[in-house]
Amino acid sequence: MGNLLAIAIGSAFISNVVLSQFLGICPFLGVSKKVKTALGMGSAVVFVITLASAVASVIYQFVLVPLNITYLQTIVFILVIAALVQFVEMFLKKTMKGLYQALGVYLPLITTNCAVLGVALSNVQKGYTILESVVNGFAVAFGFLISITIMAGLRESMEYNNIPKAFRGMPHVLLTAGLMAIAFFGFSGLK
């Protein structure tokens, strides 16, 4: 149990996928304009990464390793992720049309979100069991959710600030992300 807790805290805060590993930057910067949209995107990423971690781990341990075809892991993981994202997209389109429209083009981008593939590959490289893979996947995705929500909240609150013209737009967002990364770096003392 202590090992699972260490994996969860380490993955969510210490090795935050966005602010420490710099994976998943595209949706982090693109969807973090409003908190509501960021929460929706973060929730979709939590679902996809957690499920992808479980499915990829099962496929790796019970199909790829016994057949000695582990060299196909990247291709197989990409196919699993693409299928899961299609499932999430269809689900949101049917049940939450507002969120589906708010996410727009960014929802299909989860398929190409390097964080999702990075977690699946990381689970294999670290030799995690299926349970450890699921915990790691959930924690990484939860860290993404925390990061994107904080960024969206900051962007909403700073929207009407008097910012010099040279820093408006993306420079301001990147500077804010850098400061958030420094703040999350403080968690590295927990290790």
Side-chain angles (χ1 to χ4, degrees):
M1 185 66 172
N3 184 39
L4 295 178
L5 185 61
I7 290 171
I9 291 172
S11 296
F13 299 108
I14 298 167
S15 299
N16 186 281
V17 71
V18 176
L19 301 173
S20 177
Q21 298 177 23
F22 306 112
L23 297 174
I25 296 292
C26 296
F28 176 73
L29 296 176
V31 185
S32 62
K33 292 178 184 171
K34 301 286 179 197
V35 172
K36 184 178 178 183
T37 310
L39 282 170
M41 178 64 154
S43 299
V45 168
V46 166
F47 179 75
V48 169
I49 288 182
T50 304
L51 201 54
S53 294
V55 173
S57 183
V58 167
I59 289 173
Y60 183 80
Q61 290 185 14
F62 295 112
V63 177
L64 299 179
V65 171
L67 295 175
N68 198 24
I69 53 173
T70 55
Y71 57 88
L72 293 176
Q73 70 187 11
T74 304
I75 295 169
V76 171
F77 293 169
I78 289 172
L79 292 174
V80 166
I81 292 164
L84 289 172
V85 170
Q86 287 301 312
F87 171 73
V88 169
E89 188 172 5
M90 290 186 306
F91 176 78
L92 288 179
K93 191 173 187 178
K94 289 273 188 196
T95 60
M96 301 176 195
K97 288 188 185 269
L99 179 58
Y100 174 76
Q101 290 173 346
L103 292 176
V105 71
Y106 295 105
L107 188 57
L109 285 178
I110 295 176
T111 304
T112 59
N113 186 344
C114 54
V116 183
L117 180 60
V119 171
L121 293 172
S122 172
N123 289 338
V124 169
Q125 289 172 347
K126 293 178 180 177
Y128 285 159
T129 64
I130 295 171
L131 179 60
E132 290 172 335
S133 295
V134 172
V135 168
N136 183 54
F138 177 79
V140 166
F142 186 71
F144 178 86
L145 174 67
I146 290 170
S147 301
I148 197 169
T149 305
I150 290 172
M151 175 60 94
L154 290 171
R155 286 178 77 174
E156 277 187 4
S157 66
M158 294 185 292
E159 188 174 341
Y160 300 107
N161 288 0
N162 188 13
I163 300 169
K165 189 175 181 178
F167 283 107
R168 289 184 190 149
M170 197 49 66
H172 187 246
V173 173
L174 292 173
L175 185 62
T176 303
L179 292 172
M180 284 177 60
I182 291 170
F184 269 70
F185 183 70
F187 288 119
S188 63
L190 295 175
K191 243 181 181 176

